[in-house]
Amino acid sequence: MLLQAPTTQDIILSLGLLFCASSSYGEAASSAYTPASFGEGRTEFIEMLRFPDYEDGRAVLVKCGSMAHLTGEMLGTICYSNGDFAIENRMRKLIIRAAKTARISPAIINGEKESVWFNFSVIYEQNGSAKSIEILENDLYDIESLGP
């Protein structure tokens, strides 16, 4: 199964979600705010990610974003990376598939659950028989604006 290029509609939806999340952030930054996170679901999310075979001794970083819905769903997940297309394409597909069923802790703004844009990165690393997958929430992005 080949990965299809995002359609114009996918790109517009993603940019719209990003705009909505970023335009409401100014209000959130000045009030009580708890960012969305994988929380207790971190281990479950990592377990949903299979480790594809690839060149030993290499780490692969895949950056992603989702709309963290107030119900805990991850909607409109997009991922990107630079490098080996075939391997990283499989990793992106695994992450997006896992995000469709994953549940996260929604953001809390002024005591209310809110939908926000949620950035995360997934690092696949393989050294010999040792394989690891690490998730970095809201990492490697504009931390000053989006939070840690």
Side-chain angles (χ1 to χ4, degrees):
M1 181 173 157
L2 294 176
L3 180 67
Q4 296 178 347
T7 65
T8 303
Q9 183 179 3
D10 292 336
I11 293 169
I12 291 172
L13 174 63
S14 297
L15 290 174
L17 291 172
L18 181 59
F19 174 76
C20 290
S22 64
S23 66
S24 66
Y25 182 77
E27 178 184 326
S30 63
S31 59
Y33 176 71
T34 303
S37 70
F38 283 104
E40 298 296 319
R42 174 185 295 276
T43 303
E44 180 183 331
F45 186 76
I46 290 173
E47 288 173 356
M48 285 190 261
L49 302 175
R50 291 186 315 237
F51 207 104
D53 292 327
Y54 71 94
E55 186 179 324
D56 190 32
R58 182 174 158 210
V60 176
L61 170 69
V62 181
K63 295 181 181 182
C64 301
S66 280
M67 178 56 68
H69 194 268
L70 59 94
T71 62
E73 294 175 280
M74 296 174 70
L75 305 174
T77 303
I78 55 172
C79 295
Y80 65 95
S81 58
N82 296 326
D84 181 339
F85 179 77
I87 297 301
E88 293 179 13
N89 180 39
R90 280 189 277 167
M91 291 174 179
R92 285 189 300 270
K93 288 187 336 186
L94 290 169
I95 294 167
I96 291 169
R97 184 178 304 136
K100 288 179 181 178
T101 58
R103 292 296 174 260
I104 60 173
S105 300
I108 307 292
I109 302 173
N110 290 330
E112 299 288 326
K113 293 179 181 179
E114 295 286 340
S115 297
V116 297
W117 187 253
F118 176 60
N119 295 311
F120 63 98
S121 298
V122 179
I123 300 173
Y124 289 86
E125 190 167 9
Q126 178 174 322
N127 286 309
S129 62
K131 297 179 180 182
S132 67
I133 299 174
E134 183 179 356
I135 298 175
L136 306 173
E137 298 175 4
N138 295 317
D139 195 56
L140 306 174
Y141 293 92
D142 184 2
I143 294 172
E144 268 191 41
S145 296
L146 300 173

